[in-house]
Amino acid sequence: MRVEEIDEPVEVGAVFREKRLVPKWFLWGRIRRVVEQVHLSWKGREGEADLRRFSVGSGGNTYQLLLNQKTLEWRLEKVNLE
Amino acid sequence: MVLHVDMDAYFASVEQKANPRLRGKPVVVVGDLNRRSIVLTASYEARAFGIKTGNLYWEARRLCPAVIAVIGDPRKYAALSARLMEILEGFSDQVEVVSVDEAYLDVTGSLRLFQADGEKMARLVQGRIDEALGLPASVGAAPNKILAKLAAGMRKPRGVFEIKPAAALGLLETLPVSELCGIGPRLTESLKAMGILTCGQLSAASLQRLQERFGVYGVWMRNWSRGQDDSPVRSSGEAEPVKSVGHSTTLPRNTEDPKIIEAFFLMLSDKVAARLRRGGFMGRTITATARTDDFKTVSRSVTLSEPHADGSEIYRVAMEIFSTRLRPSRPVRLLGVSVSRLVSADGASFLLECLEKTRRLTGVLDEVNAKYGARTLRRAQVLQAERFGFLEPPIPPRGEGIE
C-alpha cells in the first residue's frame, strides 16, 4: 500500500443531499472516476479559507479530495494505491 | 453521574475509517517514516503484536514486519474531535474536554430526560458516536471522574461499563495503583518503595506518611484509591486559565550542529510567540528544554523584568539558557521552549520605539499568516530547520479544524 501526493486541480460533480455535499465523480487525467463511497469528510481552515476534505473510494483506491469553499476550487490531494 | 468517553485507538481508527484497505490490519500512525519516528497510536490489530504508543517505528516493524505506517494528519483528527465534542454536548451542557479523543460529561441532570441509568446513558452516547462518526469509543459511567475513567478502560475496545458506588471499593481493593489516572510510572515506583502496590494498600496507608512524602498529592491519591473524587466536570467556559504556552519537537536526527539548534529554537520561539499573541498574553518566564540522545531531559528558566510575546526576544533568552545553563555534552534529540508567568497583553504598547516597531511588525505578520495560512511568512533562518526536517506534534492547538 502506498500514498502518492498529487495536489492537482480536478473537475468534480457533486450533489447536495440531506444538508450535505456529496461528491459523485471526479475527472483526473482524462478519466472520469465514479465515487463509489465517501469514507470520511471533515472541515478545515487555512488562513481565511474554509476547506472541506473528502476521503472517497473509487476502483479499489482511496482518494482525498479538497474543496476550497472560498474559491470553489476542487483539488485531488493524494491517492492511496493498493 | 459522570461519563468518561475515550475513543479507541483514535488516530488509527480515523485512518482506518478514511481508507477501508486499512481496516482489520495492523496500522500505526507516525509523525513520518523516519526509523526513529514515534508510534503515536497503534490499531488494536497492531497492539496484538505488542506494539504500543511510544514505540519507535523500527521497533514496531520488528514486532510486526507487516505493520502499515500511516503519516498522521493532525487537522483531520482535530476536525473530527470537534464534531465528537458537539455530539457529546447533545447529552449534557457540562462537557470537559480532556484531549483530542477524551472527555468527561456530567449527565446527572440528563438521566431523567433520557430515561436512563448510567450504563444505558453510556450506550446511548457510544451509539450516537458510532452513528455520526463511524468511530469506536469506550464509555465509562460512575459517580465521579476518577471512577468513570477507570470504567471506560475496563472493557476496551467498544466497551461500556458502569461502576456503581457499592461496587467501587471491592473493585479497587486489588487494583494496581498504576491503573489510577494521576499515578504515573514515577509515582508508582515511589509508592512501591513504600510497600504500596494496590489501591487497597494505598487506601489503608498512613495519611501522615503520604503527606510527608507527596504533600497534598498524597491526600488526593489516597482519596482516589477509595473511589473518592469531588473534582467537578468543568465545561470549556470554566476551564482553568492558561498558565503557560510551549512547544517542543523531536528532531529527525540527533545533532550537535549549533546552526540547526538555533534554527529549531527560532522556529519554536516564533510558534510560542504566535500562540501567545493569539491568546492575548505576554509572559515573563522563559524556559528552554533539551533532551539528549541518552534520553536525559533538562529544563532551565529565566524570568525577565518585562513580559514579552515577541519571538525574537523569546529566542534570544532561550538560546542564552541553552548555551550557558543547559550546555549539553551529547547530541540533542528534542528541544522545547515555553513561556509562563502570563499576563494579559491588552492595550500593551512600548515606550521604546524599537520595541513598538517590533510589536507592529509581528502584528502584520500575524495578520498575513491568519489570512493565508500558518507559516506563509516566516524567518529565513527557520528554513534551515525545515530542510533538516521536523516532526510536527500530533495535536494542533484547539480551535483548528472546527466543523
Side-chain angles (χ1 to χ4, degrees), chain B residues 182 249 265:
Chain B
T249 189
F265 265 125

Side-chain angles (χ1 to χ4, degrees), chain B residues 150 175-185 187-188 191 197-199:
Chain B
L150 196 60
L175 191 75
V177 292
S178 57
E179 293 293 311
L180 285 179
C181 176
I183 301 183
L187 275 173
T188 301
L191 288 167
L197 299 170
T198 66
C199 290

Side-chain angles (χ1 to χ4, degrees), chain B residues 195-217:
Chain B
I196 297 170
L197 299 170
T198 66
C199 290
Q201 290 168 333
L202 178 54
S203 167
S206 151
L207 184 61
Q208 187 183 348
R209 213 173 142 221
L210 289 170
Q211 272 184 297
E212 279 169 8
R213 179 72 180 83
F214 304 108
V216 67
Y217 209 80

Side-chain angles (χ1 to χ4, degrees), chain B residues 280-282 343-349:
Chain B
F281 297 116
M282 305 170 79
V343 295
S344 168
D346 284 348
S349 64

Side-chain angles (χ1 to χ4, degrees), chain A residues 39 41 43 47-48 55 60 62, chain B residues 17-21 83 370-371:
Chain A
H39 303 308
S41 70
K43 288 185 178 180
E48 289 184 341
S55 175
T62 300
Chain B
K17 176 80 171 88
N19 183 356
R21 296 277 183 184
R83 280 167 65 186
K371 190 175 174 76

